[in-house]
Amino acid sequence: MGSYAGLAGECQGYTRAGQAGSEACRGYSEDCLNLNVYAPSSSSTTATSSGTGSSPQRPHAKRAVMVWIHGGCFVSGSAAGYNGTQLAKTHGVVVVVIQYRLGVFGFLGGEELRERDPEGSTGNWGLLDNVAALKWVHSNIAAFGGDPDNVMIFGESSGAGSVSQLLGIEAAWPYFHKAVMESGTAAFWTYLPLENAQQSYTAVLASTGCASALDKVDCLLGAGSNGFTSAVTSVPCRDGCTWAPTIDGVLIPDKTLSLGQQGYLRPNTPMISGFNLNDGAMFVPGYPAVLKTMSAAGLQTYFSDRFGEERVAELSTTFPVPGAWPGSADLSPYCYSAQQCETDFSYACTALWLTAAEAAGQATYVYLFSEPTTGDLALHGDEIKYVFGTLKEPSASQTAVSEAMMTYWTNFAKTGNPNDDGGAAGSSSRRAPPLEWPVWDAKSAAVLNITSSPIVRSVPVASYVGCPFFQQHWAFYSGCLPPPGRAVEKMAV
């Protein structure tokens, strides 16, 4: 599989070589719209990997289908990094790992682009690629033993953001039936307001020499790809993604959270949303050195630069520094507070809020992944290898956690209930989940803490650490904060 990366030092918009793990850059191209299929053999003992061009003999049983959308802040990543063999072979499902256009090729947005779309969208081609992949799965997955009427989409980080967006895109609704969002549910960085996307569009016009063209879009179509990919490397929104889906009022009518709260997301869709204990640690400025070195002054600077000097005192109370630090050796007590704040802002609160909005009338589940994986921490993305069963030299406890997550995820794909496979194909080789995972509702507020000693906690949204603070100020913070180096505008206290 090739991949596209739009980050400095990661081919800067080039496609990579065809083999997974290769760092060779092979020139600019949008020729990345392919996918991998992992399907059990008819005996359920082996799995096969295929591109879009091959169709193995159809097994007798229809199997649940799990379609993975990779992360990478909408600018990097590829299908090559995810192997669905273990899920398919040991849990009796069909796994599809898709690719989609990224960066400028996937998410260039501007008013003048509407004329190129019959529906009047500004672009969002990366999401339209997701929809096209789901249509392909619907039409072809039966040839691999998959059930086109039992499809679960799941993804992590911006992949979870893509899943969030697909919940609001009606064109995608016929092609999936369940959704799992890992560390990116309805997050503020999974979209760009049109005015901010327009800024990047204007920069691309300038870099390609099309700013003064009579037909700017036609000029862009004839411009060299080098001008496209090198035009925008800055992030328009504070700690957002350089490129992201544009809220254009057509394909994406509004923020995912707003759509959910208004009842406009896909109806009757069982959902799992979750986040990792230390999701935000990697996004505290100065990572990774700051994990161990952050001081009291550094924490105050983080609060001030990130959320405005008017909020430092309130945030210091909301995220207090532990007195006698019993925690991780990989975190200073000051960075513990900072990363907890960042985790709540970027991952935890939107997961809880969207769950609360969607809980009425459909099954919704929430998890917290806290198994120590990167040293003492459970960082952003650490759960992925547990879900896919691809940990290298795992400990006994990590093996148990991986088996539990594979079971929960595949059960959910089969039945919409992570505790029950419904007697589906391939279940004879599986173990039962280690703990019953309750449906979330406003009364129980049940969150499954996924670790080697799993527990279910009651986590009312209104009292979860930083969520009351962020809910109070969400209209401001969920917009487009100034990028680093520019002060956050003062707000009335």
Side-chain angles (χ1 to χ4, degrees):
M1 285 291 170
S3 67
Y4 168 86
L7 296 176
E10 293 188 6
C11 294
Q12 192 60 35
Y14 289 92
T15 51
R16 293 189 187 278
Q19 299 300 316
S22 172
E23 294 301 314
C25 299
R26 297 298 181 88
Y28 294 104
S29 173
E30 294 179 82
D31 184 18
C32 62
L33 302 186
N34 44 33
L35 51 81
N36 287 344
V37 177
Y38 300 86
S41 69
S42 57
S43 62
S44 299
T45 58
T46 60
T48 58
S49 172
S50 305
T52 58
S54 59
S55 298
Q57 183 177 359
R58 184 198 301 255
H60 296 294
K62 289 185 177 181
R63 301 179 186 274
V65 181
M66 303 171 66
V67 178
W68 175 256
I69 304 175
H70 71 76
C73 213
F74 302 107
V75 296
S76 64
S78 80
Y82 306 94
N83 189 323
T85 299
Q86 285 300 312
L87 280 172
K89 181 172 68 174
T90 64
H91 290 257
V93 293
V94 176
V95 181
V96 183
V97 184
I98 69 174
Q99 297 196 149
Y100 53 102
R101 282 172 289 182
L102 299 166
V104 64
F105 292 132
F107 299 103
L108 180 67
E111 283 288 355
E112 291 165 334
L113 295 171
R114 292 189 189 276
E115 64 189 70
R116 295 288 170 170
D117 186 276
E119 304 298 325
S121 172
T122 63
N124 288 310
W125 298 287
L127 288 175
L128 291 174
D129 292 342
N130 292 167
V131 176
L134 289 172
K135 288 182 178 179
W136 185 95
V137 168
H138 183 78
S139 299
N140 296 279
I141 206 63
F144 297 85
D147 184 352
D149 296 319
N150 191 14
V151 175
M152 182 187 93
I153 56 175
F154 68 134
E156 183 269 346
S157 194
S158 58
S162 295
V163 172
S164 300
Q165 301 288 4
L166 291 169
L167 286 167
I169 297 176
E170 291 190 39
W173 289 2
Y175 309 115
F176 72 94
H177 312 92
K178 309 171 191 76
V180 177
M181 291 159 281
E182 304 172 24
S183 301
T185 305
F188 69 90
W189 45 265
T190 61
Y191 54 79
L192 278 177
L194 180 56
E195 58 268 27
N196 300 107
Q198 188 74 36
Q199 294 172 10
S200 296
Y201 175 75
T202 300
V204 169
L205 288 177
S207 70
T208 54
C210 294
S212 59
L214 184 63
D215 187 331
K216 295 179 175 58
V217 177
D218 188 62
C219 179
L220 286 174
L221 290 172
S225 57
N226 185 65
F228 278 95
T229 54
S230 62
V232 180
T233 56
S234 62
V235 179
C237 300
R238 178 73 169 88
D239 283 357
C241 295
T242 303
W243 298 98
T246 301
I247 300 175
D248 62 5
V250 180
L251 189 71
I252 304 178
D254 204 344
K255 302 171 185 176
T256 305
L257 185 60
S258 297
L259 294 175
Q261 292 169 337
Q262 297 171 60
Y264 292 146
L265 297 184
R266 188 185 189 279
N268 304 314
T269 308
M271 290 171 30
I272 290 176
S273 290
F275 52 97
N276 295 357
L277 181 63
N278 310 114
D279 253 329
M282 294 170 62
F283 307 99
V284 175
Y287 174 87
V290 74
L291 292 180
K292 294 184 178 181
T293 62
M294 179 173 277
S295 63
L299 177 60
Q300 298 298 296
T301 298
Y302 164 77
F303 285 147
S304 179
D305 288 352
R306 189 73 174 90
F307 301 103
E309 61 185 33
E310 297 87 352
R311 301 299 181 207
V312 171
E314 189 175 359
L315 286 166
S316 297
T317 300
T318 302
F319 299 99
V321 177
W325 177 235
S328 167
D330 293 323
L331 272 178
S332 81
Y334 303 102
C335 196
Y336 173 86
S337 297
Q339 63 86 35
Q340 187 179 32
C341 176
E342 195 69 28
T343 296
D344 287 2
F345 179 41
S346 295
Y347 304 101
C349 295
T350 50
L352 293 168
W353 293 337
L354 190 68
T355 297
E358 292 294 292
Q362 58 194 36
T364 56
Y365 300 85
V366 182
Y367 74 88
L368 164 65
F369 175 82
S370 60
E371 179 67 14
T373 301
T374 304
D376 294 335
L377 307 178
L379 293 179
H380 189 63
D382 274 353
E383 88 290 350
I384 297 174
K385 291 183 179 180
Y386 291 83
V387 171
F388 278 85
T390 54
L391 287 163
K392 294 183 179 179
E393 300 181 356
S395 66
S397 63
Q398 290 175 332
T399 298
V401 172
S402 180
E403 177 58 30
M405 295 191 78
M406 294 172 73
T407 299
Y408 285 128
W409 264 237
T410 55
N411 281 358
F412 187 76
K414 294 169 185 177
T415 68
N417 181 345
N419 307 294
D420 180 20
D421 75 344
S427 62
S428 61
S429 63
R430 296 171 45 264
R431 299 189 307 180
L435 185 66
E436 184 82 6
W437 186 350
V439 173
W440 191 97
D441 59 47
K443 183 177 181 180
S444 68
V447 174
L448 175 65
N449 186 353
I450 299 178
T451 181
S452 56
S453 300
I455 59 172
V456 174
R457 300 167 52 204
S458 178
V459 184
V461 177
S463 62
Y464 185 76
V465 196
C467 295
F469 169 85
F470 289 118
Q471 188 166 42
Q472 181 183 0
H473 305 296
W474 194 247
F476 179 82
Y477 289 130
S478 65
C480 185
L481 296 177
R486 289 163 49 191
V488 176
E489 295 179 4
K490 291 183 179 292
M491 300 172 290
V493 178

